[in-house]
Amino acid sequence: MKISAVSKEISEWSGSVLIAGVLEGTTKSQLNLFKSLVKETYLLERFNYAKFEGKKNQKLSIDLIDKNVKKIVFVGLGTAENLLIQDLRIAASIGTRQVLSHGSKLGILLPWDAFDPSAASVAVGEAIRLTSFKDQRFKSEVKESNQINEVELIGLDENTINLALAEINPICSGVEFARQLVSAPPNFLTPSQLAKEAKKLANDYNLKLKILDKKECENRGMGAYLAVAKGSDLEPYFIHLSYTPGNAKIKNKVVLIGKGLTFDSGGYNLKVGASQIEKMKYDMGGSASVLGAARTISEIKPKNTEVHFIVAACENMINGSALHPGDVIKASNGKTIEVNNTDAEGRLTLADALVYACKLQPNAIVDLATLTGACVIALGDEMAGLWTDNDRLSEQITIAADKAGEGIWRMPMKDSYKSGLKSSIADLQNTGPRPGGSITAALFLKEFVQTNIPWAHIDIAGTCWTEKDRDITPKGATGYGVRTLVNWIKELDN
Ligand code: BES
Ligand code: MG
Ligand code: ZN
């Protein structure tokens, strides 16, 4: 998809479909802009008839006959006072969905000047591309319907904006890669396949790669991670990718960790009833965000920041050697864990990943994980939960997510809840009581992080997948987190 800015006016533009944002309350004067295509009075009539007032989420399509433009889709933006860049994204997505199979060349007209036009146009370009993304890899026949192959953002300064738009490709490629990883079924995206994907990234984008096999993980004492992998016929792979800037004076070193359960059956605490075992291919959503970010980072090449990407990949399955509920295992920092629930496996894999990350002595660690159903209950599928003791890191990540239009909400790291993780036989047990289940999960992870290293945990159990088309995401894998992580690193790098 080619996305560019053009300084033309509507009367000079031609293409198959025009998407136009309309602010609430100022419709009359705005209609004048389209006079070369359609009479103002006719438009007004149609708006009145359809009760289209420019309110958020409203849309109205008008087909044109005998024009260079075949269709205009008007999309409401709400009032000018309340307008956010996210509203432009959403409007562009609503318009795009109307015309997904109609047009090869799309024009977009939005109030760019309400914001920094570079930021607004990048956001909208990303929204259009990510809205139209479709994963057809697992269909035997691929529908070659009329796809959008060209997008022009109308009424912008070509010289400055087209330079800014160059960012869209690396960012969307990272998000799309993450979505593909998540939507791939568990018989395809196995732990070894995930390791292969990392290897491909390393080769294609010049990243360093270290993969630890089971033996090497044993040597490092990763008893928590390996305990989860025991019940599967598939071998675990511990993936460590890294990006180092050419610049010798590195300002920051950060580690991104993603939960990488290519399937989570629950283990002997099998997922039954409404626990949606059939969806658990997305339990590697954290690793997808991290590898998606790796792809983008390796293309945008931050100058002053070294970035490590870590995934302890495995499956949570059942066989004769699987973890028993009640087993006591030992993590690589020496702590012993009573596994009172085999379905709380993500935190076991992350425990050893966090210990490994701390040994790199970074300035910050961020982990992303589809960790708890409780987080979905608390925040739904549009907000991820953020846990950290570090206010600065919390602010940085929140700003990065806001800028990406990805929902995030800081949750309490309530230390007294740690009593719920007391074990009578080991140092701690892996689950606490049901209430506050996402908080005890975060507190469990904290036990494996060196206290002097700023660390944040993001629970994406709700946000990594959507059951319906939503904001800039088609139904399915969202790629949540890639853009937040990239924004965060870009800001650190400045
Ligand atoms: N992968 C699940 C969490 C999950 C649940 C993600 C629903 C997405 C949707 C995780 O491994 C898990 O099973 N957690 C348990 C923890 C419990 C046993 C304390 C859960 O949330 O039920
Ligand atoms: Mg589980
Ligand atoms: Zn899980």
Side-chain angles (χ1 to χ4, degrees):
M1 184 182 284
K2 183 173 168 254
I3 303 177
S4 55
V6 292
S7 32
K8 292 176 184 163
E9 294 185 13
I10 297 293
S11 56
E12 304 161 312
W13 187 80
S14 74
S16 34
V17 184
L18 179 65
I19 295 177
V22 177
L23 285 164
E24 190 177 348
T26 52
T27 49
K28 224 177 180 168
S29 56
Q30 284 183 84
L31 298 188
N32 201 24
L33 284 173
F34 305 95
K35 62 174 186 277
S36 62
L37 295 172
V38 49
K39 265 208 193 114
E40 203 183 312
T41 46
Y42 173 71
L43 265 190
L44 209 55
E45 239 171 68
R46 292 290 301 270
F47 277 25
N48 285 338
Y49 183 72
K51 296 202 169 62
F52 178 87
E53 297 164 305
K55 287 196 175 13
K56 276 184 201 180
N57 296 319
Q58 280 190 325
K59 53 183 186 278
L60 175 65
S61 291
I62 294 186
D63 291 311
L64 307 175
I65 303 166
D66 258 340
K67 293 278 175 194
N68 288 336
V69 183
K70 300 290 174 226
K71 190 196 226 4
I72 311 182
V73 181
F74 292 98
V75 187
L77 295 170
T79 60
E81 305 87 79
N82 296 321
L83 190 68
L84 304 171
I85 285 198
Q86 181 69 358
D87 297 317
L88 299 189
R89 284 194 186 95
I90 306 253
S93 295
I94 290 174
T96 302
R97 278 192 194 106
Q98 294 298 300
V99 299
L100 269 180
S101 55
H102 286 62
S104 49
K105 183 174 168 190
L106 207 65
I108 311 278
L109 182 68
L110 287 164
W112 310 112
D113 291 335
F115 305 95
D116 162 19
S118 296
S121 52
V122 169
V124 166
E126 286 174 6
I128 294 166
R129 172 152 159 197
L130 294 174
T131 301
S132 4
F133 173 78
K134 206 167 178 178
D135 185 353
Q136 305 205 79
R137 289 171 301 158
F138 300 97
K139 299 272 191 195
S140 60
E141 240 176 276
V142 174
K143 271 191 240 143
E144 284 292 346
S145 61
N146 253 346
Q147 281 165 357
I148 301 167
N149 46 38
E150 194 177 353
V151 178
E152 289 187 339
L153 312 179
I154 301 170
L156 285 157
D157 180 61
E158 289 179 16
N159 296 326
T160 56
I161 303 298
N162 280 324
L163 219 60
L165 295 182
E167 219 180 82
I168 293 176
N169 192 41
I171 291 176
C172 292
S173 301
V175 176
E176 288 168 357
F177 179 51
R179 287 180 182 176
Q180 286 183 326
L181 290 174
V182 172
S183 61
N187 62 336
F188 175 82
L189 194 87
T190 55
S192 66
Q193 183 62 31
L194 197 59
K196 275 188 203 148
E197 300 284 355
K199 199 165 176 186
K200 192 164 177 310
L201 267 188
N203 289 338
D204 294 354
Y205 298 97
N206 208 13
L207 297 169
K208 247 184 276 161
L209 175 66
K210 185 148 101 184
I211 291 187
L212 309 179
D213 63 14
K214 188 169 134 198
K215 193 91 215 94
E216 290 164 292
C217 293
E218 267 165 19
N219 293 340
R220 287 168 190 258
M222 296 182 171
Y225 164 45
L226 292 175
V228 177
K230 275 201 309 179
S232 169
D233 291 345
L234 305 179
E235 290 284 304
Y237 291 95
F238 189 97
I239 301 164
H240 175 188
L241 271 172
S242 52
Y243 163 82
T244 314
N247 176 1
K249 279 193 228 118
I250 288 164
K251 201 168 84 180
N252 322 287
K253 188 202 267 190
V254 302
V255 185
L256 308 179
I257 303 177
K259 171 173 169 181
L261 265 290
T262 61
F263 187 71
D264 175 15
S265 72
Y268 276 99
N269 291 97
L270 188 64
K271 289 193 180 289
V272 291
S275 54
Q276 298 205 295
I277 190 170
E278 74 285 359
K279 293 270 165 62
M280 285 303 148
K281 67 175 183 184
Y282 67 51
D283 214 16
M284 37 57 68
S287 70
S289 312
V290 164
L291 295 182
R295 179 171 169 157
T296 305
I297 292 293
S298 63
E299 280 199 77
I300 63 175
K301 298 188 173 57
K303 287 197 180 64
N304 310 306
T305 310
E306 182 177 307
V307 192
H308 296 260
F309 309 90
I310 290 174
V311 181
C314 65
E315 276 194 316
N316 187 20
M317 299 289 280
I318 299 176
N319 63 20
S321 0
L323 197 54
H324 314 87
D327 278 355
V328 174
I329 58 179
K330 189 185 259 187
S332 43
N333 66 346
K335 290 200 180 173
T336 59
I337 305 159
E338 179 183 6
V339 181
N340 62 338
N341 193 318
T342 61
D343 198 10
E345 83 299 333
R347 60 195 78 180
L348 299 176
T349 66
L350 291 168
D352 283 325
L354 286 163
V355 172
Y356 182 98
C358 288
K359 288 184 184 147
L360 300 169
Q361 290 297 313
N363 313 108
I365 301 174
V366 177
D367 79 73
L368 279 87
T370 47
L371 203 64
T372 63
C375 188
V376 191
I377 300 298
L379 297 174
D381 69 354
E382 295 184 32
M383 301 296 283
L386 168 66
W387 279 264
T388 177
D389 283 329
N390 190 298
D391 292 344
R392 230 181 102 207
L393 188 55
S394 167
E395 194 184 318
Q396 288 170 357
I397 291 175
T398 305
I399 289 172
D402 286 349
K403 211 172 146 206
E406 295 189 315
I408 203 159
W409 197 255
R410 190 175 184 183
M411 302 286 272
M413 190 79 95
K414 179 77 177 148
D415 274 310
S416 56
Y417 288 13
K418 220 185 95 183
S419 61
L421 296 172
K422 270 194 189 133
S423 161
S424 52
I425 178 169
D427 297 341
L428 74 167
Q429 58 184 28
N430 71 332
T431 72
R434 250 165 77 86
S438 308
I439 301 176
T440 42
L443 289 168
F444 179 91
L445 297 180
K446 189 176 162 182
E447 290 300 299
F448 301 89
V449 184
Q450 228 173 276
T451 47
N452 62 331
I453 302 177
W455 159 70
H457 157 61
I458 305 178
D459 195 331
I460 60 166
T463 54
C464 92
W465 188 265
T466 175
E467 288 301 329
K468 55 175 196 305
D469 290 354
R470 191 225 314 139
D471 49 60
I472 64 169
T473 311
K475 176 174 154 75
T478 61
Y480 178 96
V482 173
R483 290 176 310 119
T484 295
L485 291 174
V486 170
N487 284 347
W488 176 58
I489 288 169
K490 272 171 63 185
E491 195 57 42
L492 280 184
D493 199 59
N494 266 335

